[in-house]
Amino acid sequence: QLQASGGGLVQAGGSLRVSCAASGMTISSYHMGWFRQAPGKEREFAASIRRSGGSTRYSYYTDSVKGRFTISRDNAKNTVYLQMNSLKPEDTAVYYCGAALGFGGYTRLEDYDYWGQGTLVTVSS
């Protein structure tokens, strides 16, 4: 089970960190990702991180968040994080974490085997 938390209301230009805590599973076995779904839009890829994590070489971002968002993982705490800086109103969305057992891809919904319930991030202008 994946439990996302940390969402809230923040002003444009501000920062927020969302977390995804796993229970009943060990995230070190999974490639982990964050997706987001804005109102009236489809869920889209935001960021992902390899099993080994720990280095920027092993994290991936959609173009719209590169340089502003940072994904990280703490396998000892069984938790994945998404640090979001310089937030924009267009970042407003429900943020979902996912866990992928397979290898390759990781930008598609179907690449992921498990999902958390989502946490709402609202950025005001």
Side-chain angles (χ1 to χ4, degrees):
Q1 184 179 1
L2 299 172
Q3 181 77 32
S5 63
L9 175 64
V10 62
Q11 287 188 331
S15 299
L16 202 62
R17 188 179 79 162
V18 292
S19 303
C20 175
S23 59
M25 59 190 294
T26 304
I27 67 164
S28 59
S29 300
Y30 298 84
H31 186 107
M32 301 297 294
W34 284 98
F35 283 66
R36 62 186 184 178
Q37 187 167 15
K41 296 188 177 181
E42 295 185 349
R43 195 177 301 189
E44 64 175 10
F45 171 77
S48 73
I49 187 167
R50 288 192 188 182
R51 289 163 178 80
S52 51
S55 168
T56 56
R57 293 183 300 163
Y58 301 130
S59 55
Y60 310 92
Y61 302 91
T62 193
D63 287 345
S64 61
V65 308
K66 280 181 183 176
R68 300 188 298 121
F69 289 13
T70 302
I71 187 172
S72 62
R73 65 193 298 158
D74 187 335
N75 289 341
K77 293 184 178 180
N78 224 19
T79 301
V80 177
Y81 305 96
L82 186 67
Q83 175 68 44
M84 302 180 288
N85 299 328
S86 302
L87 282 161
K88 305 175 181 179
E90 51 263 43
D91 294 318
T92 294
V94 177
Y95 284 73
Y96 297 90
C97 60
L101 263 177
F103 295 86
Y106 305 125
T107 62
R108 305 173 305 170
L109 293 173
E110 55 264 38
D111 294 329
Y112 291 79
D113 300 282
Y114 302 100
W115 291 96
Q117 87 291 356
T119 185
L120 176 63
V121 173
T122 304
V123 185
S124 62
S125 57

